Amino acid sequence: MMYYSERKKVNDGQAVAPAYHTGERDAMERQFHLNCANVLDSNNPRNDLDVCEWGTIEHGALERKVYRKPEPEPEPEDEPEEEPEEEQ
C-alpha cells in the first residue's frame, strides 16, 4: 500500500497550496504528527483553518485533525463601582 500525509491551510479566506508527502507507513504517520505539532507551535502564526491527515491512497484517511483559529477572548467588562450609601 502507498501511504500519504497532507496538510491543508486556509488563511484570510484563501486556500494555501497543500503540503503533500507519500512514503512508508511509519514515515507518513510521523509526518502527520509533525504537521499537527507545527499547527500548535506558538512561534507560528495561526491560519484560519488547518487540516492534517494521513492514510492510504487506496483506502483514504486513517486519521484527520481539524484546527480552527481560536476566536479572541473578549475583554472583561469593568463593573461600575458602587457608591457607598450615605448615612443620614
Side-chain angles (χ1 to χ4, degrees):
M1 280 196 186
M2 178 71 82
Y3 290 86
Y4 73 93
S5 177
E6 182 175 34
R7 179 178 174 193
K8 300 175 188 173
K9 306 177 209 177
V10 175
N11 201 6
D12 294 328
Q14 299 294 318
V16 178
Y20 189 82
H21 304 275
T22 59
E24 298 294 320
R25 179 186 174 99
D26 289 346
M28 293 304 98
E29 184 174 7
R30 179 179 184 276
Q31 185 63 48
F32 165 76
H33 290 289
L34 289 172
N35 286 339
C36 293
N38 190 268
V39 169
L40 300 173
D41 187 348
S42 61
N43 293 325
N44 294 330
R46 290 291 292 266
N47 295 306
D48 296 340
L49 178 70
D50 281 278
V51 179
C52 302
E53 75 177 41
W54 79 285
T56 67
I57 293 174
E58 296 85 358
H59 300 290
L62 294 172
E63 192 170 356
R64 178 183 176 121
K65 291 212 174 210
V66 177
Y67 300 92
R68 296 188 193 288
K69 188 176 198 173
E71 295 291 325
E73 293 186 21
E75 294 290 326
E77 294 182 22
D78 293 334
E79 293 184 23
E81 293 183 26
E82 294 183 24
E83 295 181 20
E85 294 182 23
E86 293 181 18
E87 291 184 31
Q88 293 184 0

